[in-house]
């Protein structure tokens, strides 16, 4: 959940940076951060490094990696039926990948170790790079202003969500636990 929250919070900022600095540089950095996060997860001795790698590094990198295929489709195809088919194919590939990855990861975790599932994802990074890099163009648009307010709102929204989740665990989700006025924070 933390990874999804981080990805969703930073996707608008990541897209803004991709347009301003060039999608190729931002994608390369995100793919490197994703690989680094997977390495942290695989080598983690405890939950702290595991969470930092999975939710932190890969979640932040996913903000760029998730938006890149859609941006490439917008760039390559005009508003035609071809673009609709391309987006349908992308959606179906995401569904098939999610189902296949979940099943394969579960089988690997059961028979080998949970670390092997993340190792397989790490092995896919060079394949992804080889397939996507030729499609990316380095065309930064210096005329696009950085959306500082939007970026700060993303960070604030993510922070407030985390504070809310933490407080809900202490104060209760549906039924109140104790009196919030007397509870020390």
């Amino acid at each position: 959940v933390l990874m999804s929250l981080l990805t969703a919070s930073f996707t608008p900022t990541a897209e803004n940076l991709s347009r301003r600095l060039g999608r190729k540089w931002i994608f390369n950095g995100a793919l490197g951060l994703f690989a680094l996060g997977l390495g942290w997860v695989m080598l983690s001795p405890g939950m702290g490094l595991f969470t930092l790698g999975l939710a932190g590094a890969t979640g932040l990198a996913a903000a760029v990696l998730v938006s890149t295929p859609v941006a490439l489709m917008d760039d390559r195809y005009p508003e035609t039926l071809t673009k609709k088919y391309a987006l349908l194919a992308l959606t179906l590939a995401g569904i098939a990948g999610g189902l296949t990855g979940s099943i394969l990861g579960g089988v690997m975790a059961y028979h080998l170790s949970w670390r092997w599932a993340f190792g397989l994802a790490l092995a896919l990074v060079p394949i992804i790079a080889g397939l996507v890099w030729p499609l990316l163009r380095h065309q930064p648009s210096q005329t696009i202003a950085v959306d500082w307010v939007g970026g700060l709102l993303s960070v604030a929204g993510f922070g407030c969500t985390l504070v809310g989740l933490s407080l809900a665990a202490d104060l209760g989700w549906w039924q109140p636990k104790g009196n919030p006025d007397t509870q020390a924070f």
Side-chain angles (χ1 to χ4, degrees):
V1 171
L2 189 59
M3 179 185 174
S4 298
L5 284 172
L6 190 66
T7 300
S9 295
F10 288 101
T11 297
T13 304
E15 184 61 24
N16 188 287
L17 286 174
S18 294
R19 289 181 182 163
R20 181 169 172 77
L21 302 176
R23 191 162 305 279
K24 192 168 215 166
W25 295 110
I26 300 297
F27 182 82
N28 290 344
L31 202 56
L33 184 61
F34 190 77
L36 182 66
L38 289 174
W40 282 343
V41 168
M42 288 174 43
L43 301 174
S44 64
M47 285 306 294
L49 197 56
F50 180 89
T51 303
L52 180 67
L54 185 65
T58 61
L60 193 58
V64 174
L65 301 177
V66 166
S67 65
T68 298
V70 177
L72 286 174
M73 299 252 178
D74 281 341
D75 189 37
R76 299 278 186 250
Y77 301 110
E79 285 293 328
T80 62
L81 191 59
T82 306
K83 183 175 184 175
K84 292 178 183 178
Y85 284 134
L87 289 172
L88 175 64
L90 179 65
T91 303
L92 292 175
I95 292 169
L99 292 172
T100 306
S102 299
I103 293 169
L104 183 60
V107 169
M108 290 175 79
Y110 182 77
H111 290 291
L112 300 170
S113 167
W114 60 268
R115 296 178 194 272
W116 281 93
F118 292 103
L120 179 62
L122 187 59
L124 291 175
V125 168
I127 296 169
I128 293 168
L131 291 172
V132 176
W133 281 348
L135 300 175
L136 296 173
R137 290 187 225 144
H138 179 67
Q139 294 177 340
S141 176
Q142 299 296 334
T143 59
I144 298 175
V146 176
D147 184 12
W148 294 107
V149 174
L152 291 174
L153 286 174
S154 294
V155 171
F158 179 65
C160 289
T161 301
L162 291 180
V163 169
L165 290 172
S166 297
L167 290 176
D170 292 338
L171 301 176
W173 285 93
W174 307 113
Q175 298 296 323
K177 293 181 185 176
N179 186 359
D181 294 331
T182 61
Q183 189 135 6
F185 293 105

